Amino acid sequence: MVASFECALLIAQSKKPHTIGETLIKPACVKIAEIMCGTQVASKLKTVPLSNNTVKDRIDIMADDVENTLVEKLKMHPFSIQLDETFTVVDEAVLIAYVQYIEDAEIKQDNLLSTNLSTTTRGEDIFHSIDTYFTKQNIPYNNLVAWCTDGAASVMGKNKGYNAHVKEKAPHCLVFHCMIHHQAQASKHLSDELNEMLKTAVKIVNFIKAHPVNKRIFAELCEDEAHQTLLLHTEVRWLSRGQVTSYLADIFSLYNETNKRMQSAEANILECKEIIDSFVHKVEFRKNKLMKRYLQSFPSLLKQTEGNLPESLRKEFTRHMELLQEEMKSRLSDVDEHVAKCTWVMDPFTAKEEDVEYLEAEDELLDVKTNSLLKRFFTEHGYKRFWLVKGPDFAPKLVHHATTRLILPFATTYLSETAFSSLVTIKTKALNKLDLYNDFRLAVTKIMPAIQSLAQEMQAQDSH
């Protein structure tokens, strides 16, 4: 009985870095065999395979246990949600949602659900899937403090999108667009000449990568082994664009760097905004250098032009960088406004009492600022640990605002997007007819099933 759970758990979690150790109870039959026949005979019992149905049943039971555990946490704690949709190998539209919550002074994330979208990927259908799940599990909308999506118009519509529907259920809920997608969308604004150059290069890259025969022919044509492979272009991931032309290579290398820095499971609004601000300042720095005809900040461009950049191109590139800055500032204006009200979260010891007047928490801020032990903890552990561990005892109003408005909200849909790779690994063409979402949950969850208690509830199967 317990061996069935052990086997199923190992199968379900074979691709995750959990250790299944000595804490599992050995089945009674193995114990008896050890006593009567020795360890060698007993070890052979462990090699007896389980039926497919038995393995599936065990996986389903463990997945339900993990799901119930997570749902109970969401009923007791504020949480944020991120979601994104994609298509499987058989063109199924799949919605994946992750949640983030605080438990025992720790920030935790886990997969909330993965489900097929039966009709379209419009905002109404996405909301219906989430709302149905919330209703079924009795998850209170009052605990939903923020949500984040990729920002597609069909999802974010003010009248018919998910945004409009969720605001009806949770008016207090914050809405954020994935900042990685924001960055990608901003970079699409190019001049006609630069855009044409980029389109041509992208067509070439995609043509080569579209079919294996094209890739093989290209490899034969290349004499330099370092250039026998190309990265496939996508709208969001710009890793190939940094290769296509000299000026764009230098600019998009900044995109690559910024994009990677935001690809973190725990990156919040404050941290991602600082990364974006850094990107904007780097563009400003390069623009000013280019205006003075200094190309040292553009190594690819400097190498190609040998320092002799035509005036027309210099103006073209300068204008492009100005547009980039304007576009980024415009797209993130709502984030800037939101964060500007909460600068005290990053460093309450340099904040002014006037900064928290809107929360009526001036006395709490003064209690924090005058406590030398709190300041030492803040210096050693940073602002997130400070508010989660020490803040509740001294500044409950400030803690509530800091956690629900800045620390808990997702800034990107990074977790949902990375989970798609796990789903693709499980839901292959050969297994496309099977319902494998419980397998997927166990593959990505951070919650361990209660193996011992579940095993005690099961009836022993004599046939195994």
Side-chain angles (χ1 to χ4, degrees):
M1 174 180 62
V2 182
S4 299
F5 273 101
E6 181 176 354
C7 180
L9 184 60
L10 289 172
I11 292 173
Q13 297 188 327
S14 60
K15 294 185 178 296
K16 65 178 297 184
H18 282 175
T19 300
I20 309 302
E22 297 299 327
T23 58
L24 295 176
I25 301 176
K26 293 182 179 181
C29 58
V30 175
K31 285 187 176 181
I32 294 174
E34 285 181 350
I35 295 172
M36 298 183 63
C37 305
T39 57
Q40 290 185 348
V41 174
S43 64
K44 292 182 179 180
L45 291 177
K46 297 181 180 180
T47 65
V48 178
L50 301 177
S51 69
N52 292 337
N53 289 340
T54 299
V55 173
K56 180 183 183 302
D57 289 343
R58 299 300 189 264
I59 290 175
D60 291 344
I61 290 171
M62 288 187 291
D64 289 342
D65 180 68
V66 168
E67 181 179 22
N68 293 335
T69 300
L70 177 62
V71 168
E72 289 304 313
K73 295 177 186 294
L74 302 184
K75 291 179 180 179
M76 297 184 294
H77 303 285
F79 66 92
S80 64
I81 186 172
Q82 65 164 264
L83 49 93
D84 202 359
E85 70 279 354
T86 191
F87 292 90
T88 66
V89 292
V90 289
D91 293 330
E92 291 177 323
V94 177
L95 175 69
I96 292 182
Y98 265 77
V99 289
Q100 183 164 250
Y101 58 97
I102 298 172
E103 183 184 41
D104 299 329
E106 296 285 344
I107 298 176
K108 298 184 178 181
Q109 305 102 8
D110 218 298
N111 173 243
L112 177 65
L113 64 88
S114 57
T115 183
N116 287 359
L117 294 172
S118 57
T119 53
T120 69
T121 59
R122 296 180 302 178
E124 301 98 310
D125 301 308
I126 293 175
F127 172 78
H128 177 72
S129 297
I130 298 295
D131 185 54
T132 299
Y133 187 82
F134 273 38
T135 301
K136 176 184 176 181
Q137 300 291 350
N138 293 318
I139 299 176
Y141 274 100
N142 288 339
N143 286 357
L144 176 61
V145 298
W147 69 281
C148 179
T149 71
D150 62 1
S154 62
V155 178
M156 301 300 299
K158 294 182 178 179
N159 299 320
K160 296 183 178 181
Y162 182 84
N163 183 8
H165 291 292
V166 81
K167 283 294 186 179
E168 292 179 0
K169 295 283 188 176
H172 62 282
C173 181
L174 296 173
V175 177
F176 293 105
H177 302 182
C178 174
M179 296 180 73
I180 294 177
H181 285 79
H182 263 317
Q183 183 206 22
Q185 293 295 321
S187 63
K188 290 183 177 181
H189 291 262
L190 301 171
S191 65
D192 293 339
E193 183 176 351
L194 293 178
N195 195 43
E196 190 62 33
M197 294 168 61
L198 187 59
K199 283 184 177 180
T200 301
V202 168
K203 286 181 180 178
I204 295 172
V205 172
N206 286 347
F207 176 78
I208 294 171
K209 294 291 289 186
H211 301 286
V213 64
N214 295 348
K215 184 177 179 181
R216 292 196 298 270
I217 294 173
F218 178 75
E220 288 293 328
L221 293 175
C222 291
E223 297 180 357
D224 184 358
E225 293 183 359
H227 298 87
Q228 287 188 1
T229 58
L230 293 173
L231 293 174
L232 180 64
H233 162 72
T234 63
E235 290 296 329
V236 176
R237 297 165 181 83
W238 298 83
L239 300 181
S240 65
R241 293 192 175 189
Q243 312 287 330
V244 296
T245 190
S246 58
Y247 165 72
L248 292 178
D250 293 324
I251 287 297
F252 285 123
S253 66
L254 292 180
Y255 274 100
N256 297 345
E257 174 192 345
T258 305
N259 187 293
K260 290 178 181 178
R261 290 177 63 191
M262 289 192 290
Q263 292 180 18
S264 170
E266 296 184 358
N268 60 36
I269 297 298
L270 288 170
E271 294 163 351
C272 284
K273 181 186 178 300
E274 288 184 340
I275 294 172
I276 293 292
D277 287 344
S278 175
F279 168 78
V280 173
H281 288 309
K282 289 176 181 178
V283 173
E284 174 72 16
F285 171 78
R286 283 159 175 76
K287 183 192 73 173
N288 293 335
K289 287 292 185 180
L290 188 61
M291 292 177 65
K292 297 177 181 179
R293 296 178 175 80
Y294 295 147
L295 301 183
Q296 284 74 15
S297 298
F298 302 88
S300 300
L301 187 61
L302 177 62
K303 181 178 180 180
Q304 185 177 18
T305 64
E306 296 181 350
N308 298 317
L309 181 66
E311 183 65 16
S312 59
L313 288 181
R314 186 184 68 83
K315 291 182 179 180
E316 184 79 18
F317 297 159
T318 300
R319 178 56 181 161
H320 173 234
M321 286 185 280
E322 290 176 348
L323 291 175
L324 281 180
Q325 290 178 286
E326 293 172 3
E327 186 69 18
M328 290 301 300
K329 292 178 181 178
S330 174
R331 286 183 172 274
L332 297 175
S333 59
D334 56 338
V335 176
D336 290 337
E337 182 179 354
H338 178 72
V339 172
K341 298 178 180 179
C342 306
T343 55
W344 54 267
V345 174
M346 295 290 285
D347 189 356
F349 296 94
T350 60
K352 299 179 181 179
E353 291 74 58
E354 293 80 4
D355 296 338
V356 296
E357 280 183 343
Y358 67 102
L359 299 175
E360 298 182 354
E362 298 95 325
D363 288 345
E364 288 188 359
L365 181 62
L366 288 171
D367 289 338
V368 170
K369 292 174 63 175
T370 55
N371 191 312
S372 59
L373 294 178
L374 290 181
K375 186 173 184 179
R376 180 181 299 176
F377 186 91
F378 176 85
T379 303
E380 294 176 353
H381 300 280
Y383 75 97
K384 282 194 287 189
R385 292 294 297 163
F386 170 78
W387 291 116
L388 295 177
V389 177
K390 295 294 185 180
D393 294 331
F394 294 89
K397 287 184 180 179
L398 295 180
V399 168
H400 178 76
H401 193 86
T403 54
T404 61
R405 313 303 281 183
L406 288 168
I407 295 177
L408 266 183
F410 285 110
T412 72
T413 56
Y414 172 76
L415 284 173
S416 297
E417 293 188 10
T418 54
F420 288 137
S421 61
S422 298
L423 180 62
V424 170
T425 301
I426 297 173
K427 201 172 183 65
T428 62
K429 288 184 177 180
L431 300 175
N432 68 82
K433 297 297 183 182
L434 300 181
D435 183 3
L436 301 176
Y437 291 116
N438 281 336
D439 303 61
F440 171 73
R441 181 182 291 278
L442 288 184
V444 300
T445 186
K446 296 180 181 179
I447 300 174
M448 287 294 291
I451 301 297
Q452 296 184 12
S453 62
L454 290 175
Q456 291 173 1
E457 298 174 359
M458 296 296 295
Q459 180 178 357
Q461 301 293 326
D462 295 336
S463 61
H464 298 319

